[in-house]
Amino acid sequence: MTKRLGLIHTSATLVDVFAKLCAEHLPGVETFNIVDDSLIKNTIAAGRLTPGTARRVAGHIGSAEAAGADHILVTCSSIGAAVEAAEPLTGVPVTRVDRPMADRAVALGRRIGVLATLSTTLDPTADLVRRRAAASDKEVSLTARVCEGAFEALMGGDAATHDARVAGALAALAAEVDVIVLAQASMARVAGTVEAPVPILVSPPLAMEHLAAVL
């Protein structure tokens, strides 16, 4: 039987990004999307993941299961805590997009850098890396930074400024760590433009590699 993957997004821009990755890594898997950008907008406005938003994330995960998903991928790191809370309530596997990336970072080095353009994404990703390191019985040193002004530039339609600021922050952080984790999928396109002496990890392709192994 054909497997079905349900993807839950907090931005419509990610639908095409993941559609291409699914076509490349999961050619025999049927996919469908649930998009609700109010989840990230409310999280940014509150400065944190609120209980109300977390309940709505769980509701979307339940809807994806009801729609026939054999596996569910949530593509936003900022709501990762809600994804983990919903997992025990769900009858099919649920993956938060940054978990495979965190595991790869822990495997690659002790000094791990985490870069984000939003503090609401930085903190959940950094926390995840720490917990995945502890689960692997590895001691890591974490350097977490927000790339100031980049997100605002992107939302204002100035992708060039966003990319330049992220690239500059990447170059600076690369001198201090063994591996860098990009906390947001929106930063992924910058990774390939920077020559860094350390690996730069982005969540979408690593999540797809993980799903290809389990689906």
Side-chain angles (χ1 to χ4, degrees):
M1 291 179 62
T2 301
K3 293 292 183 72
R4 299 190 80 200
L5 172 67
L7 297 100
I8 299 173
H9 311 282
T10 59
S11 171
T13 61
L14 292 176
V15 173
D16 286 344
V17 172
F18 280 90
K20 292 175 183 176
L21 287 167
C22 287
E24 178 184 352
H25 293 276
L26 307 171
V29 176
E30 192 178 306
T31 64
F32 64 89
N33 299 280
I34 296 173
V35 182
D36 183 352
D37 62 359
S38 73
L39 297 173
I40 189 63
K41 288 178 179 178
N42 292 349
T43 300
I44 293 170
R48 64 187 180 91
L49 176 66
T50 66
T53 299
R55 284 193 295 271
R56 292 179 54 235
V57 171
H60 286 314
I61 290 173
S63 293
E65 180 182 8
D70 297 297
H71 199 116
I72 299 166
L73 174 68
V74 183
T75 64
C76 176
S77 300
S78 290
I79 57 174
V83 177
E84 292 186 7
E87 282 185 82
L89 310 174
T90 311
V92 298
V94 182
T95 297
R96 57 178 285 181
V97 70
D98 49 354
R99 187 184 295 148
M101 177 178 66
D103 289 340
R104 182 71 60 87
V106 169
L108 287 176
R110 188 187 69 81
R111 299 180 303 161
I112 300 174
V114 181
L115 188 66
T117 61
L118 283 170
S119 60
T120 52
T121 309
L122 183 72
D123 295 340
T125 302
D127 174 67
L128 176 65
V129 172
R130 290 190 187 98
R131 289 188 289 110
R132 300 305 287 179
S136 298
D137 201 25
K138 289 191 175 182
E139 186 174 327
V140 298
S141 170
L142 212 64
T143 302
R145 290 182 185 160
V146 173
C147 186
E148 298 291 350
F151 181 79
E152 292 76 11
L154 188 63
M155 292 300 98
D158 188 356
T161 295
H162 166 274
D163 293 357
R165 293 195 177 187
V166 172
L170 276 172
L173 188 56
E176 305 174 30
V177 298
D178 303 318
V179 57
I180 296 174
V181 165
L182 294 185
Q184 286 148 259
S186 58
M187 305 167 73
R189 67 176 184 273
V190 185
T193 69
V194 177
E195 290 189 15
V198 300
I200 300 173
L201 305 182
V202 294
S203 59
L206 292 174
M208 285 296 117
E209 289 178 17
H210 167 74
L211 291 173
V214 299
L215 281 172

PDB file of all heavy atoms in Angstrom, residues 4 12 26 33 49 54 92 96 103 116-117 132 141 158 162 167 172-173 196 200 204 208:
ATOM      1  N   ARG A   4       1.304   7.513   3.149  1.00  0.00           N
ATOM      2  CA  ARG A   4       0.874   8.902   3.068  1.00  0.00           C
ATOM      3  C   ARG A   4       1.593   9.715   4.143  1.00  0.00           C
ATOM      4  O   ARG A   4       1.604   9.342   5.322  1.00  0.00           O
ATOM      5  CB  ARG A   4      -0.634   9.040   3.263  1.00  0.00           C
ATOM      6  CG  ARG A   4      -1.474   8.310   2.239  1.00  0.00           C
ATOM      7  CD  ARG A   4      -2.932   8.709   2.387  1.00  0.00           C
ATOM      8  NE  ARG A   4      -3.192  10.004   1.744  1.00  0.00           N
ATOM      9  CZ  ARG A   4      -4.240  10.770   2.032  1.00  0.00           C
ATOM     10  NH1 ARG A   4      -5.087  10.425   2.982  1.00  0.00           N
ATOM     11  NH2 ARG A   4      -4.430  11.901   1.391  1.00  0.00           N
ATOM     12  N   ALA A  12       3.019  29.280   3.979  1.00  0.00           N
ATOM     13  CA  ALA A  12       2.700  28.706   2.676  1.00  0.00           C
ATOM     14  C   ALA A  12       3.935  28.603   1.788  1.00  0.00           C
ATOM     15  O   ALA A  12       3.976  27.766   0.879  1.00  0.00           O
ATOM     16  CB  ALA A  12       1.635  29.552   1.983  1.00  0.00           C
ATOM     17  N   LEU A  26      11.254  10.991  -1.466  1.00  0.00           N
ATOM     18  CA  LEU A  26      10.135  10.085  -1.182  1.00  0.00           C
ATOM     19  C   LEU A  26       9.255   9.915  -2.426  1.00  0.00           C
ATOM     20  O   LEU A  26       8.053  10.195  -2.399  1.00  0.00           O
ATOM     21  CB  LEU A  26       9.288  10.646  -0.028  1.00  0.00           C
ATOM     22  CG  LEU A  26      10.024  10.999   1.270  1.00  0.00           C
ATOM     23  CD1 LEU A  26       9.092  11.745   2.215  1.00  0.00           C
ATOM     24  CD2 LEU A  26      10.577   9.748   1.933  1.00  0.00           C
ATOM     25  N   ASN A  33      -0.817  18.598   2.544  1.00  0.00           N
ATOM     26  CA  ASN A  33      -0.334  19.704   3.366  1.00  0.00           C
ATOM     27  C   ASN A  33      -1.459  20.350   4.167  1.00  0.00           C
ATOM     28  O   ASN A  33      -2.585  20.489   3.687  1.00  0.00           O
ATOM     29  CB  ASN A  33       0.289  20.784   2.472  1.00  0.00           C
ATOM     30  CG  ASN A  33       1.466  20.265   1.679  1.00  0.00           C
ATOM     31  OD1 ASN A  33       2.568  20.149   2.184  1.00  0.00           O
ATOM     32  ND2 ASN A  33       1.222  19.951   0.410  1.00  0.00           N
ATOM     33  N   LEU A  49       5.714  30.180  22.662  1.00  0.00           N
ATOM     34  CA  LEU A  49       4.642  29.259  22.284  1.00  0.00           C
ATOM     35  C   LEU A  49       3.625  29.237  23.411  1.00  0.00           C
ATOM     36  O   LEU A  49       3.938  28.816  24.523  1.00  0.00           O
ATOM     37  CB  LEU A  49       5.209  27.863  22.039  1.00  0.00           C
ATOM     38  CG  LEU A  49       4.202  26.759  21.725  1.00  0.00           C
ATOM     39  CD1 LEU A  49       3.525  27.013  20.386  1.00  0.00           C
ATOM     40  CD2 LEU A  49       4.895  25.399  21.721  1.00  0.00           C
ATOM     41  N   ALA A  54      -0.326  25.843  21.248  1.00  0.00           N
ATOM     42  CA  ALA A  54       0.087  24.440  21.366  1.00  0.00           C
ATOM     43  C   ALA A  54      -1.106  23.504  21.170  1.00  0.00           C
ATOM     44  O   ALA A  54      -0.991  22.461  20.513  1.00  0.00           O
ATOM     45  CB  ALA A  54       0.740  24.190  22.720  1.00  0.00           C
ATOM     46  N   VAL A  92       0.082   7.668  14.944  1.00  0.00           N
ATOM     47  CA  VAL A  92       1.100   7.451  13.915  1.00  0.00           C
ATOM     48  C   VAL A  92       2.343   8.255  14.304  1.00  0.00           C
ATOM     49  O   VAL A  92       2.253   9.187  15.099  1.00  0.00           O
ATOM     50  CB  VAL A  92       0.596   7.878  12.513  1.00  0.00           C
ATOM     51  CG1 VAL A  92      -0.602   7.039  12.096  1.00  0.00           C
ATOM     52  CG2 VAL A  92       0.250   9.363  12.481  1.00  0.00           C
ATOM     53  N   ARG A  96       9.252  16.266  14.377  1.00  0.00           N
ATOM     54  CA  ARG A  96       9.501  17.706  14.283  1.00  0.00           C
ATOM     55  C   ARG A  96      10.704  17.883  13.372  1.00  0.00           C
ATOM     56  O   ARG A  96      11.685  17.146  13.458  1.00  0.00           O
ATOM     57  CB  ARG A  96       9.689  18.359  15.646  1.00  0.00           C
ATOM     58  CG  ARG A  96      10.791  17.818  16.521  1.00  0.00           C
ATOM     59  CD  ARG A  96      10.898  18.581  17.836  1.00  0.00           C
ATOM     60  NE  ARG A  96      11.519  19.895  17.684  1.00  0.00           N
ATOM     61  CZ  ARG A  96      11.743  20.734  18.696  1.00  0.00           C
ATOM     62  NH1 ARG A  96      11.383  20.389  19.933  1.00  0.00           N
ATOM     63  NH2 ARG A  96      12.318  21.908  18.494  1.00  0.00           N
ATOM     64  N   ASP A 103      20.251  15.668  15.903  1.00  0.00           N
ATOM     65  CA  ASP A 103      20.996  14.423  16.083  1.00  0.00           C
ATOM     66  C   ASP A 103      22.289  14.421  15.267  1.00  0.00           C
ATOM     67  O   ASP A 103      23.334  13.957  15.744  1.00  0.00           O
ATOM     68  CB  ASP A 103      20.124  13.232  15.687  1.00  0.00           C
ATOM     69  CG  ASP A 103      18.999  12.975  16.677  1.00  0.00           C
ATOM     70  OD1 ASP A 103      19.104  13.440  17.828  1.00  0.00           O
ATOM     71  OD2 ASP A 103      18.017  12.307  16.295  1.00  0.00           O
ATOM     72  N   ALA A 116      19.705  31.624  14.373  1.00  0.00           N
ATOM     73  CA  ALA A 116      18.312  31.834  13.995  1.00  0.00           C
ATOM     74  C   ALA A 116      18.101  33.308  13.697  1.00  0.00           C
ATOM     75  O   ALA A 116      18.924  34.157  14.059  1.00  0.00           O
ATOM     76  CB  ALA A 116      17.374  31.396  15.121  1.00  0.00           C
ATOM     77  N   THR A 117      17.003  33.611  13.040  1.00  0.00           N
ATOM     78  CA  THR A 117      16.645  35.009  12.830  1.00  0.00           C
ATOM     79  C   THR A 117      15.505  35.419  13.757  1.00  0.00           C
ATOM     80  O   THR A 117      15.091  36.579  13.744  1.00  0.00           O
ATOM     81  CB  THR A 117      16.233  35.264  11.360  1.00  0.00           C
ATOM     82  OG1 THR A 117      15.095  34.466  11.035  1.00  0.00           O
ATOM     83  CG2 THR A 117      17.372  34.936  10.420  1.00  0.00           C
ATOM     84  N   ARG A 132      18.935  16.269  22.940  1.00  0.00           N
ATOM     85  CA  ARG A 132      19.389  15.154  22.107  1.00  0.00           C
ATOM     86  C   ARG A 132      20.814  14.751  22.463  1.00  0.00           C
ATOM     87  O   ARG A 132      21.179  13.571  22.390  1.00  0.00           O
ATOM     88  CB  ARG A 132      19.282  15.514  20.623  1.00  0.00           C
ATOM     89  CG  ARG A 132      17.882  15.854  20.165  1.00  0.00           C
ATOM     90  CD  ARG A 132      16.863  14.769  20.465  1.00  0.00           C
ATOM     91  NE  ARG A 132      17.003  13.601  19.595  1.00  0.00           N
ATOM     92  CZ  ARG A 132      16.248  12.532  19.669  1.00  0.00           C
ATOM     93  NH1 ARG A 132      15.305  12.462  20.609  1.00  0.00           N
ATOM     94  NH2 ARG A 132      16.417  11.515  18.847  1.00  0.00           N
ATOM     95  N   SER A 141      28.986  21.922  24.039  1.00  0.00           N
ATOM     96  CA  SER A 141      29.034  23.344  24.353  1.00  0.00           C
ATOM     97  C   SER A 141      28.240  24.063  23.278  1.00  0.00           C
ATOM     98  O   SER A 141      28.532  23.928  22.089  1.00  0.00           O
ATOM     99  CB  SER A 141      30.495  23.831  24.377  1.00  0.00           C
ATOM    100  OG  SER A 141      30.544  25.235  24.463  1.00  0.00           O
ATOM    101  N   ASP A 158      12.896  42.226   1.512  1.00  0.00           N
ATOM    102  CA  ASP A 158      14.308  42.475   1.202  1.00  0.00           C
ATOM    103  C   ASP A 158      15.117  41.204   1.470  1.00  0.00           C
ATOM    104  O   ASP A 158      15.831  41.094   2.464  1.00  0.00           O
ATOM    105  CB  ASP A 158      14.825  43.641   2.046  1.00  0.00           C
ATOM    106  CG  ASP A 158      16.227  44.090   1.647  1.00  0.00           C
ATOM    107  OD1 ASP A 158      16.827  43.434   0.767  1.00  0.00           O
ATOM    108  OD2 ASP A 158      16.722  45.080   2.221  1.00  0.00           O
ATOM    109  N   HIS A 162      18.449  40.081   4.117  1.00  0.00           N
ATOM    110  CA  HIS A 162      18.336  38.884   4.964  1.00  0.00           C
ATOM    111  C   HIS A 162      19.506  37.945   4.710  1.00  0.00           C
ATOM    112  O   HIS A 162      20.195  37.503   5.640  1.00  0.00           O
ATOM    113  CB  HIS A 162      17.016  38.169   4.663  1.00  0.00           C
ATOM    114  CG  HIS A 162      16.932  36.777   5.219  1.00  0.00           C
ATOM    115  ND1 HIS A 162      17.414  35.668   4.546  1.00  0.00           N
ATOM    116  CD2 HIS A 162      16.431  36.294   6.393  1.00  0.00           C
ATOM    117  CE1 HIS A 162      17.211  34.579   5.266  1.00  0.00           C
ATOM    118  NE2 HIS A 162      16.611  34.940   6.386  1.00  0.00           N
ATOM    119  N   ALA A 167      24.577  35.350   6.139  1.00  0.00           N
ATOM    120  CA  ALA A 167      25.905  34.921   5.679  1.00  0.00           C
ATOM    121  C   ALA A 167      26.995  35.489   6.580  1.00  0.00           C
ATOM    122  O   ALA A 167      27.959  34.783   6.934  1.00  0.00           O
ATOM    123  CB  ALA A 167      26.129  35.368   4.235  1.00  0.00           C
ATOM    124  N   ALA A 172      31.042  34.458  11.000  1.00  0.00           N
ATOM    125  CA  ALA A 172      31.574  34.772  12.324  1.00  0.00           C
ATOM    126  C   ALA A 172      31.463  33.580  13.265  1.00  0.00           C
ATOM    127  O   ALA A 172      32.411  33.255  13.997  1.00  0.00           O
ATOM    128  CB  ALA A 172      30.837  35.983  12.898  1.00  0.00           C
ATOM    129  N   LEU A 173      30.329  32.900  13.221  1.00  0.00           N
ATOM    130  CA  LEU A 173      30.105  31.768  14.127  1.00  0.00           C
ATOM    131  C   LEU A 173      30.981  30.581  13.772  1.00  0.00           C
ATOM    132  O   LEU A 173      31.411  29.825  14.654  1.00  0.00           O
ATOM    133  CB  LEU A 173      28.628  31.374  14.078  1.00  0.00           C
ATOM    134  CG  LEU A 173      28.132  30.332  15.081  1.00  0.00           C
ATOM    135  CD1 LEU A 173      28.426  30.747  16.514  1.00  0.00           C
ATOM    136  CD2 LEU A 173      26.631  30.093  14.885  1.00  0.00           C
ATOM    137  N   ALA A 196      32.449  27.818   4.550  1.00  0.00           N
ATOM    138  CA  ALA A 196      32.754  27.745   5.969  1.00  0.00           C
ATOM    139  C   ALA A 196      33.656  26.548   6.252  1.00  0.00           C
ATOM    140  O   ALA A 196      33.559  25.522   5.566  1.00  0.00           O
ATOM    141  CB  ALA A 196      31.471  27.638   6.778  1.00  0.00           C
ATOM    142  N   ILE A 200      27.568  23.123   7.908  1.00  0.00           N
ATOM    143  CA  ILE A 200      26.386  23.941   8.183  1.00  0.00           C
ATOM    144  C   ILE A 200      25.165  23.077   7.899  1.00  0.00           C
ATOM    145  O   ILE A 200      24.955  22.651   6.759  1.00  0.00           O
ATOM    146  CB  ILE A 200      26.356  25.210   7.321  1.00  0.00           C
ATOM    147  CG1 ILE A 200      27.599  26.072   7.586  1.00  0.00           C
ATOM    148  CG2 ILE A 200      25.086  26.015   7.601  1.00  0.00           C
ATOM    149  CD1 ILE A 200      27.715  27.266   6.653  1.00  0.00           C
ATOM    150  N   PRO A 204      15.440  20.854   6.510  1.00  0.00           N
ATOM    151  CA  PRO A 204      14.575  20.157   5.539  1.00  0.00           C
ATOM    152  C   PRO A 204      15.180  18.909   4.899  1.00  0.00           C
ATOM    153  O   PRO A 204      14.555  17.832   4.932  1.00  0.00           O
ATOM    154  CB  PRO A 204      14.259  21.256   4.513  1.00  0.00           C
ATOM    155  CG  PRO A 204      14.333  22.524   5.296  1.00  0.00           C
ATOM    156  CD  PRO A 204      15.480  22.308   6.241  1.00  0.00           C
ATOM    157  N   MET A 208      14.086  14.900   5.480  1.00  0.00           N
ATOM    158  CA  MET A 208      13.683  14.027   4.377  1.00  0.00           C
ATOM    159  C   MET A 208      14.500  12.738   4.344  1.00  0.00           C
ATOM    160  O   MET A 208      13.963  11.649   4.082  1.00  0.00           O
ATOM    161  CB  MET A 208      13.856  14.773   3.052  1.00  0.00           C
ATOM    162  CG  MET A 208      12.802  15.808   2.776  1.00  0.00           C
ATOM    163  SD  MET A 208      11.141  15.083   2.590  1.00  0.00           S
ATOM    164  CE  MET A 208      10.329  15.851   3.971  1.00  0.00           C
TER     165      MET A 208
END
